[in-house]
Amino acid sequence: MSARATPLMLQHRAAKRAYPDAIVFFRLGDFYEMFEDDAVLCSRLLDLTLTSRNKGKPDEVPMAGVPHHAAHGYIGRLLSLGYNVAICEQMADPTTVKGIVPREVVRVLTPGTVTSSEHLDVSTNNWLAAIDVTAERVGIALLDVSTGELRAAGFPDLAGALGELSRSLPREVIAGGDGARSAQEPLPVAIRAVLGEVPVRDDAPLDAAALEAALGPLAGEAARGAVEVRGAVGRALRYARACSPGVDLPVRRIADFDPSEHLVLDPVAQRHLELVESPAGRKSTLLGTIDATRTPPGARLLRRRLLAPLTGVARIRRRLDQVELFVDDPRLREELRAALGAVGDLERLAVRAMLGEATPKDLGALRDGLVAARRAVEVVSGVEAPTGQEVLELDATVDTVDDVADALRAALCDRPPASEKEGAIFRDGFDVELDEAEKLRRHGTELMIALEAKLRDETGIATLKVRFTRVFGWYVEVTRSHTARAPSSWRRKQTVAGGERFTLPELDELADRIVHAEARHRERELSLLAELLVTVKAASDRVAALSERIARWDVAAALAEIAHRFDYRRPDVDASDVLAITDGRHPVVEQLAAAGRFVPNDVALEASAERLWIVTGPNMAGKSTLLRQVALSVVLAQLGSFVPAREARIGIVDRVLSRVGASDNLSRGESTFMVEMRETAEILRKATAKSLVILDEIGRGTSTFDGLAIAWAVAEYLDEAVRCRTLFATHYHELTALADTSEHVRNVSVSAEESDGDIVFLHRLVKGPASRSYGVAVAKLAGLPESVLARSRGLLEMLESGGNTAAPAPLATKRARKTPQLELFAGSAPSGNEREVLDTLRGVDVERLTPLDALSLVARMKGRLSKESKESKEPGKGGST
Ligand code: ADP
Ligand code: MG
């Protein structure tokens, strides 16, 4: 560091020292400048020109800047890249300060704590997650500063905590705690493995005093919670406070949540089911399909419910009752939805009011929102169904915050400006003093114009102008050629290129009155605004409560709208172990398919009876679609929605576990197979008798023998040990033999018809295994050359006839399926090595098997088999001497 650093750079370095992890936006006049490393980084990230300050001097430093009025966009980009931005402002008006202007960091903007609407997605909560790892347990807290929500829970281990966090997809994570260091994997690595690329901040230790300070007014409430929960809440609040120094956080209570009340959807299932995200875009997600909400808080609530459906029958039924009510009363639904369209984001407006950040424009939006909300409450109160009042939780006292709505209506003009600096906030006739100041101000300008005319007249200078600048105030300007005609009583003020600027007593006097009126007007406006903000701030909790209520109606009416539009039916949700869907459809695929082209199917599983379906059928028949549609209907039913089916009975599911397709995860340096095995192991470890497991083509990531062997063992384990409801799609026809040995297993297949070697997909589920794989027909569809197809057909026939006969066997040959054994090994009794491998497999305790063990086991078994085949292929080897 240069000893000759300028005072300005010293100021900058102090800010940087206080916030070393943030990019410092340093206010210099109309710009925010970044210096040193920040400048280099930002020039790259934001595509800014890198210049330098104090060029050529010993203390030359890299510099890059953005105009202050355009800063929002740049800050947004940095936040989305996971960076924090510290805003270092000028704390005084530079024109009134001698020497260097004092500067301070007034706010640190971080991805998880922003509150301004420019940086927020209206349909998503903006969660900051805090994790506190103690020696025994793990606490998590979720804080959305933009809505004032704070939720917390404790978990026995990190995996459980992260699994729960993955529902919320936080935008920023802070992690700390005594136990954090003892973890096998560095905490940020473990967190990113589950949550994806999210900024993770290493949090400083939190001692008792710091915890007390961090909890602040919530300390009493937090005391009820466990130590790890308190720690997590404290960390979240401490971080949020540090980001907004001197601001009262809008958090009023800690909502605990009990993870056991929610259907577990781990990140793998979330991804596979494309609940809220899909590589194909929002339209292809379940949320994108069912989100017909009309308010941002409603959209956020629906998203939250979708990622955390319930497991309690009573609560689910209460939600379904609401939806049903809006389905049965279309007029009520339509009127409510019309009113909701104008409500807007009352929740975040309430928070900005609480934070003192509400702009005049926000107040206008609050006014309009409250008026619309009152209308919505009126509509809902008119519900006619006999139990309607109860179902919609309408007690006598819905507080529509009328007093505030009325105050805002009386005060504000129709479209208040985004910034109070622009003025023109209030309605004419609202305040006598303000109106007077306004009249004077407007009048003053008119008088100036009149004075200009008068002076032109008196002097005969037609080009004379009366003008104003901030530095010189009001003056008369006369061009050079006419300066001689200026009266001698005028005082010369300034010489400019084109002429002279003068002043005279009459002008000064008028200017004074105008400036005075201007200042009075401004002062009055600001004080009225401050009063209004106090009123609104005092009512912000009431506004938040109203918003919450309206969000629930919004979600119910939206789900009813969807049920109406897409013909969904109310599911019968109970505590049984049944999962029976008649004419079920895939909610997303049916929308993307041509109207009426989606083929509905029935599924009926029962954990205590027929619990495992082996689904076979040609490629492209619809196996994956079927599996997913069942899982999605469970999610929909348990979040309290109607389902895409003619009828559905859904016994509560505690977890949806899925392993779909052979998606690569090569970016993490693991082979597809390893990922597949890791996920499969996870499923076997976590599934309970109340779970729903969907397995789609597991074993694909490895060779046929390994794959089949593993798929077989996994299916058996699910049937015999876990005993849960399972759908198992497979391309291994050999697996269909499982049905012969277990009464709980059934074979079904998605049908296709073949005529003349062409395949027609019927997408209809039928009993029994698929008869053939249709692979060659699909290949034809895909356009393989005829010669290749012909050769394949010949080979297929030869293989299907079970041997090396040269003469092709008839196509219809059906393989015997009497003995339940692996048909790949069929043809002769299993050899010694094969039997050994099978026995090994049967003896495997899958629950204890780590992915690595599984890998080495497979390698061993494979070794046994290939050794044998080598021996049998090279019979002469042993005898050569
Ligand atoms: P598989 O897993 O058997 O290879 P998919 O489930 O991926 O088949 O389905 C292949 C395509 O068939 C899907 O993209 C979808 O458009 C269509 N499809 C699947 N099921 C149905 C159905 N029940 N009705 C209409 N089209 C369907
Ligand atoms: Mg598939």
Side-chain angles (χ1 to χ4, degrees):
M1 196 182 294
S2 157
R4 285 202 247 164
T6 59
L8 195 80
M9 286 318 294
L10 289 175
Q11 221 176 35
H12 175 266
R13 279 173 196 160
K16 190 72 195 170
R17 247 196 321 278
Y19 298 93
D21 299 331
I23 292 169
V24 173
F25 268 42
F26 192 81
R27 184 68 179 262
L28 262 185
D30 285 340
F31 278 76
Y32 286 113
E33 300 289 358
M34 283 73 81
F35 295 114
E36 305 185 307
D37 292 350
D38 286 352
V40 178
L41 181 69
C42 286
S43 71
R44 185 163 53 76
L45 297 176
L46 301 176
D47 219 0
L48 303 174
T49 315
L50 189 64
T51 59
S52 52
R53 188 168 174 92
N54 305 325
K55 213 177 183 79
K57 308 223 183 86
D59 57 348
E60 174 172 343
V61 290
M63 173 170 93
V66 299
H68 82 100
H69 59 81
H72 264 304
Y74 291 106
I75 293 171
R77 260 154 75 193
L78 290 174
L79 292 178
S80 65
L81 291 169
Y83 292 94
N84 289 356
V85 177
I87 306 292
C88 189
E89 283 293 352
Q90 299 174 163
M91 300 310 284
D93 185 345
T95 55
T96 63
V97 175
K98 276 225 166 72
I100 188 161
V101 191
R103 287 186 177 80
E104 255 172 50
V105 172
V106 293
R107 185 79 202 266
V108 184
L109 298 163
T110 83
T113 62
V114 286
T115 51
S116 63
S117 47
E118 288 92 335
H119 303 313
L120 292 170
D121 174 357
V122 286
S123 58
T124 314
N125 270 106
N126 202 69
W127 295 118
L128 166 75
I131 305 182
D132 190 81
V133 186
T134 69
E136 286 92 33
R137 290 176 59 86
V138 177
I140 61 175
L142 283 165
L143 172 62
D144 184 344
V145 187
S146 72
T147 62
E149 288 157 287
L150 172 62
R151 318 163 75 207
F155 295 83
D157 55 31
L158 186 62
L162 291 178
E164 188 59 37
L165 270 191
S166 70
R167 292 179 196 277
S168 315
L169 308 168
R171 282 198 66 192
E172 186 175 5
V173 180
I174 50 180
D178 320 328
R181 303 270 167 260
S182 63
Q184 297 159 326
E185 229 175 347
L187 207 45
V189 176
I191 291 169
R192 287 203 195 91
V194 178
L195 300 181
E197 272 311 313
V198 59
V200 180
R201 325 265 181 231
D202 218 346
D203 202 28
L206 185 72
D207 61 24
L211 178 63
E212 194 70 26
L215 291 173
L218 292 171
E221 209 186 324
R224 288 189 292 113
V227 55
E228 75 277 3
V229 177
R230 239 177 2 250
V233 169
R235 287 177 192 282
L237 291 172
R238 175 171 69 175
Y239 188 77
R241 280 219 179 83
C243 292
S244 313
V247 167
D248 182 19
L249 287 181
V251 185
R252 293 289 175 269
R253 65 193 168 93
I254 307 170
D256 355 77
F257 59 95
D258 179 353
S260 73
E261 285 176 6
H262 297 285
L263 172 67
V264 179
L265 289 163
D266 61 14
V268 179
Q270 273 180 41
R271 219 176 320 120
H272 288 161
L273 296 175
E274 305 191 329
L275 296 181
V276 297
E277 268 169 26
S278 158
R282 186 177 150 88
K283 256 192 114 102
S284 300
T285 64
L286 182 61
L287 182 61
T289 306
I290 64 162
D291 184 2
T293 55
R294 308 222 54 195
T295 67
R300 293 194 291 268
L301 180 61
L302 178 62
R303 187 179 203 275
R304 253 181 1 240
R305 286 189 179 173
L306 180 58
L307 290 171
L310 299 173
T311 51
V313 173
R315 275 179 79 194
I316 295 172
R317 286 190 184 153
R318 272 207 298 282
R319 288 187 186 174
L320 287 170
D321 287 343
Q322 287 199 350
V323 177
E324 185 168 277
L325 191 133
F326 286 117
V327 168
D328 291 347
D329 191 341
R331 195 188 52 82
L332 183 73
R333 180 177 78 237
E334 275 152 29
E335 280 180 19
L336 173 62
R337 287 170 53 75
L340 290 175
V343 172
D345 203 340
L346 286 181
E347 189 178 32
R348 280 184 176 156
L349 286 170
V351 164
R352 282 209 289 282
M354 230 182 275
L355 291 171
E357 284 178 357
T359 64
K361 192 173 166 190
D362 286 341
L363 293 181
L366 182 60
R367 169 197 58 197
D368 300 344
L370 286 175
V371 170
R374 179 156 43 180
R375 168 88 193 114
V377 172
E378 275 164 22
V379 170
V380 168
S381 304
V383 59
E384 278 165 10
T387 53
Q389 303 277 336
E390 198 187 318
V391 169
L392 296 172
E393 295 160 1
L394 269 172
D395 27 68
T397 57
V398 182
D399 176 6
T400 46
V401 205
D402 291 352
D403 46 334
V404 175
D406 293 345
L408 290 169
R409 258 161 56 160
L412 297 172
C413 66
D414 287 348
R415 289 174 171 277
S419 158
E420 77 275 356
K421 290 194 190 101
E422 292 167 45
I425 300 169
F426 294 97
R427 190 177 284 292
D428 285 345
F430 166 59
D431 182 69
V432 183
E433 206 183 321
L434 188 68
D435 286 350
E436 253 175 41
E438 168 69 20
K439 216 181 289 162
L440 241 169
R441 193 177 112 185
R442 221 180 291 145
H443 193 52
T445 318
E446 278 160 22
L447 290 178
M448 242 354 141
I449 294 166
L451 178 65
E452 186 183 67
K454 186 178 149 227
L455 292 176
R456 281 180 186 168
D457 237 32
E458 282 174 9
T459 58
I461 309 171
T463 54
L464 173 151
K465 288 182 203 132
V466 173
R467 288 286 180 270
F468 175 83
T469 67
R470 274 207 16 215
V471 182
F472 290 105
W474 289 93
Y475 55 84
V476 181
E477 189 167 307
V478 177
T479 50
R480 177 125 318 150
S481 50
H482 294 113
T483 41
R485 285 154 75 183
S488 56
S489 59
W490 292 11
R491 268 184 296 112
R492 209 171 288 261
K493 211 171 173 183
Q494 191 195 15
T495 304
V496 289
E500 295 285 344
R501 290 175 176 178
F502 297 95
T503 171
L504 58 154
E506 203 180 347
L507 179 72
D508 289 347
E509 196 186 305
L510 187 53
D512 220 47
R513 270 168 64 192
I514 293 177
V515 169
H516 194 71
E518 198 72 58
R520 227 178 99 197
H521 182 266
R522 175 135 195 80
E523 221 167 82
R524 183 66 189 159
E525 208 169 41
L526 289 180
S527 99
L528 286 173
L529 182 64
E531 256 173 57
L532 203 54
L533 282 170
V534 168
T535 310
V536 170
K537 183 170 178 173
S540 53
D541 287 344
R542 292 162 60 206
V543 175
L546 176 65
S547 174
E548 208 178 310
R549 188 187 279 271
I550 287 194
R552 287 200 297 270
W553 291 336
D554 188 15
V555 169
L559 290 174
E561 176 69 21
I562 292 295
H564 163 75
R565 243 187 250 166
F566 304 150
D567 195 21
Y568 289 7
R569 301 294 163 82
R570 179 176 176 140
D572 193 357
V573 177
D574 59 27
S576 72
D577 64 351
V578 172
L579 178 44
I581 297 174
T582 313
D583 280 348
R585 285 121 47 203
H586 189 299
V588 179
V589 176
E590 80 163 337
Q591 294 306 321
L592 302 178
R597 293 300 296 277
F598 193 87
V599 181
N601 278 308
D602 301 347
V603 171
L605 299 171
E606 191 172 352
S608 52
E610 203 175 272
R611 54 181 162 243
L612 192 152
W613 276 16
I614 303 274
V615 185
T616 46
N619 269 325
M620 294 299 287
K623 299 182 295 298
S624 302
T625 307
L626 179 82
L627 263 53
R628 287 179 205 211
Q629 82 188 35
V630 171
L632 290 176
S633 287
V634 167
V635 169
L636 280 170
Q638 292 191 206
L639 82 85
S641 165
F642 283 20
V643 296
R646 191 152 55 81
E647 238 177 281
R649 179 172 174 210
I650 290 171
I652 293 292
V653 168
D654 67 349
R655 269 171 195 275
V656 172
L657 293 147
S658 75
R659 163 65 223 172
V660 179
S663 65
D664 293 35
N665 203 350
L666 296 173
S667 56
R668 290 190 63 210
E670 288 173 318
S671 71
T672 308
F673 182 56
M674 185 66 186
V675 174
E676 192 174 311
M677 285 302 101
R678 187 196 288 275
E679 290 178 3
T680 306
E682 180 100 344
I683 287 175
L684 299 188
R685 220 173 313 117
K686 297 228 172 111
T688 76
K690 295 191 83 59
S691 303
L692 170 67
V693 174
I694 60 174
L695 291 171
D696 194 350
E697 315 253 14
I698 68 158
R700 229 185 195 172
T702 182
S703 73
T704 314
F705 283 115
D706 295 347
L708 173 56
I710 289 168
W712 187 290
V714 166
E716 257 178 14
Y717 182 84
L718 284 168
D719 174 29
E720 289 164 15
V722 182
R723 309 173 141 236
C724 63
R725 288 161 285 183
T726 304
L727 290 173
F728 201 122
T730 183
H731 56 287
Y732 296 120
H733 281 253
E734 293 74 12
L735 267 189
T736 56
L738 265 177
D740 299 338
T741 47
S742 170
E743 50 174 333
H744 306 297
V745 178
R746 171 195 278 277
N747 286 314
V748 295
S749 53
V750 197
S751 58
E753 261 175 8
E754 201 185 332
S755 65
D756 269 348
D758 279 320
I759 191 162
V760 179
F761 297 113
L762 302 177
H763 303 306
R764 177 148 289 127
L765 204 59
V766 294
K767 302 225 161 105
S771 52
R772 320 186 29 187
S773 92
Y774 299 92
V776 180
V778 174
K780 179 177 176 190
L781 201 67
L784 277 192
E786 186 49 44
S787 60
V788 175
L789 292 173
R791 174 70 179 143
S792 320
R793 267 183 225 112
L795 287 170
L796 180 67
E797 282 160 16
M798 189 183 83
L799 291 169
E800 290 208 329
S801 66
N804 1 11
T805 31
L811 263 178
T813 301
K814 194 143 191 263
R815 287 172 290 178
R817 218 178 276 278
K818 271 182 213 104
T819 42
Q821 60 178 213
L822 295 172
E823 294 224 345
L824 272 178
F825 306 141
S828 56
S831 68
N833 282 359
E834 284 168 358
R835 214 174 294 119
E836 208 184 303
V837 167
L838 286 175
D839 288 343
T840 315
L841 256 182
R842 287 199 186 93
V844 167
D845 181 354
V846 186
E847 199 165 12
R848 297 250 190 87
L849 207 60
T850 67
L852 261 182
D853 291 343
L855 262 186
S856 72
L857 178 71
V858 167
R860 246 189 353 262
M861 293 191 301
K862 200 175 162 180
R864 297 296 301 172
L865 293 173
S866 59
K867 189 167 156 216
E868 183 172 83
S869 67
K870 223 189 233 156
E871 280 164 4
S872 63
K873 266 189 208 135
E874 300 171 61
K877 210 178 172 193
S880 62
T881 354

